[in-house]
Amino acid sequence: MTAQQASPGWQVHRQGTEAELRLTGDWIAHETGLRDSAAVRQVLTETEGATRLRFESSGLGRWDSALVVFLQALQEAAAASVTGAGQRIELDGTGLPEATRRLLTLAAETGPAPPVVAPPVASLFTRVGRKAIARWADGVAVSALVGETVLRSFAALRGRVRTRGVDVLELMREAGAGALGIVAIVNSLVGGILAFVGAVQLRRFGAEIFVADLVGIAMVREMAAVMTAIVMAGRTGGAYAAQIATMQGNEEIDALKALGIPVFDYLVLPRIIALVAMMPLLYLYASAVGLLGGLAVGMATLDLTATAYFQETRQAISGTQFVFGLTKSVAFGALVALAGCHIGLKAGRSAADVGRAATSAVVAGIIGVIALDAIFAVCADALGI
């Protein structure tokens, strides 16, 4: 503390039933700190028996909130205490600086902060009920989105939607050409794994040529559509959710609504159209790449030629298998796009909500694809496909 700085202090002078508190020194919070409750109790002890307490601040130096906090605590303590005659001690602030009196008045009008009350712990039935209601609300929202998609799709065929063609083309490029690399890697490896597992087992019976049947049917009927959909759920579905959630946080969606631009036509429908249009092409590409992966493993581990492999594959695969796979790819594409857009639209407005929306979209897309594939399998079995 420098020589120009004086330590905060006070002196109490009694004059019968009146007392005077003389404030001296510098009351600066970051230099001298705040006075504790012991200082307040000491003042009240020295003024015990008095009915009126005046202030004298001629010796007061610099001050800030440290003085205001001390005086406020003194007021609250004086209001709670009584004299020997059962009277409360009255504080006269006319001797304080005018700015100090205004701050004390403002603090009194604001009042103390309300106590923090911990929320009651909900019972198990309450928590289960809330979860059930939330899931029901999500189901209603998804149903509404699916219904609106169907209705707006018919309107789109007649050119009655406010969807920009340039947006659809850009989204198709991102979902189609942009995904060729990862789709090729995943499906070629899947085809190679199927061929390797089949070769190990079929070699025991001298039926190595049937590796082509195994890879062809598995890729065309199941794996190409499912693996491509899972890849697109992680790559494109999560991106859709993150993009729309970011727009939600930046209030861009609110701006679109304020301008009268349909959010569904501008944001949701182009993404659904793009992914549904690209998934069949990606499925055919994945099937071809998977067959080539199986060929590579078959030629490396078995005494197979490319001619024999493709001849056996052509005999094993029918047009019905391709139609079944194409149908599943379209359904998977619509599901992934709907999940990403729905989760993005109901996301919060913080940066953390964007990450949670992307993660939820990926999880929902993958689980939805697998569940939908199981439904397709049951239906195919019932129809004898």
Side-chain angles (χ1 to χ4, degrees):
M1 185 175 294
T2 62
Q4 290 77 14
Q5 295 174 343
S7 300
W10 66 85
Q11 295 178 354
V12 177
H13 295 271
R14 293 290 298 272
Q15 297 177 357
T17 59
E18 291 189 0
E20 183 181 71
L21 181 64
R22 298 179 180 178
L23 301 171
T24 59
D26 297 329
W27 295 67
I28 306 297
H30 76 277
E31 295 177 357
T32 60
L34 301 177
R35 307 281 77 78
D36 56 12
S37 58
V40 175
R41 289 196 300 270
Q42 181 181 351
V43 173
L44 293 179
T45 301
E46 296 180 10
T47 58
E48 186 177 0
T51 59
R52 188 166 181 266
L53 176 62
R54 295 182 290 106
F55 295 94
E56 199 280 321
S57 58
S58 59
L60 183 64
R62 298 175 299 132
W63 61 272
D64 60 4
S65 58
L67 177 62
V68 178
V69 170
F70 172 73
L71 294 175
Q72 185 181 15
L74 185 60
Q75 284 182 338
E76 294 175 355
S81 63
V82 294
T83 63
Q87 296 179 345
R88 298 183 184 276
I89 183 171
E90 178 186 355
L91 270 64
D92 183 3
T94 56
L96 294 172
E98 182 181 357
T100 307
R101 295 198 303 270
R102 290 201 302 267
L103 290 175
L104 288 174
T105 302
L106 180 61
E109 293 176 352
T110 304
V116 178
V117 180
V121 179
S123 64
L124 176 62
F125 292 104
T126 301
R127 295 196 297 269
V128 172
R130 290 173 180 173
K131 290 290 185 181
I133 293 173
R135 297 291 79 79
W136 176 262
D138 287 341
V140 171
V142 171
S143 301
L145 185 60
V146 172
E148 188 173 7
T149 300
V150 174
L151 295 176
R152 300 303 290 170
S153 297
F154 288 113
L157 294 176
R158 298 192 298 268
R160 297 182 179 178
V161 294
R162 301 177 64 179
T163 299
R164 301 196 309 171
V166 63
D167 293 338
V168 176
L169 292 176
E170 178 62 22
L171 290 168
M172 290 174 66
R173 186 196 65 79
E174 293 178 357
L180 291 178
I182 184 64
V183 170
I185 292 173
V186 171
N187 285 279
S188 62
L189 290 175
V190 170
I193 292 170
L194 289 173
F196 182 78
V197 173
V200 171
Q201 301 301 323
L202 294 174
R203 186 187 290 120
R204 300 178 180 179
F205 308 99
E208 293 90 344
I209 189 61
F210 291 108
V211 168
D213 300 64
L214 172 64
V215 175
I217 295 175
M219 291 301 301
V220 171
R221 185 183 178 91
E222 290 289 338
M223 300 307 297
V226 173
M227 296 308 299
T228 302
I230 290 176
V231 168
M232 298 307 290
R235 180 188 181 275
T236 306
Y240 287 173
Q243 291 167 2
I244 297 178
T246 301
M247 296 180 69
Q248 190 81 268
N250 294 337
E251 299 183 356
E252 297 177 43
I253 293 180
D254 295 336
L256 292 175
K257 294 178 180 178
L259 294 173
I261 299 176
V263 175
F264 183 87
D265 291 358
Y266 189 76
L267 295 179
V268 179
L269 188 60
R271 286 166 169 78
I272 296 175
I273 293 174
L275 198 53
V276 169
M278 289 294 101
M279 280 298 291
L281 300 179
L282 290 174
Y283 158 75
L284 295 175
Y285 173 72
S287 299
V289 172
L291 293 177
L292 291 177
L295 172 63
V297 174
M299 295 177 63
T301 60
L302 302 172
D303 189 15
L304 290 179
T305 63
T307 303
Y309 181 88
F310 284 118
Q311 180 67 22
E312 187 67 24
T313 300
R314 187 181 65 83
Q315 295 176 359
I317 301 175
S318 63
T320 305
Q321 308 291 344
F322 275 107
V323 173
F324 187 61
L326 284 171
T327 303
K328 291 204 301 185
S329 67
V330 172
F332 292 161
L335 186 146
V336 170
L338 283 170
C341 294
H342 168 69
I343 293 174
L345 287 173
K346 72 181 186 69
R349 298 181 180 271
S350 66
D353 290 325
V354 175
R356 282 192 287 268
T359 302
S360 299
V362 173
V363 173
I366 293 175
I367 295 176
V369 165
I370 295 174
L372 187 58
D373 184 64
I375 296 175
F376 269 106
V378 173
C379 295
D381 181 70
L383 296 175
I385 299 177

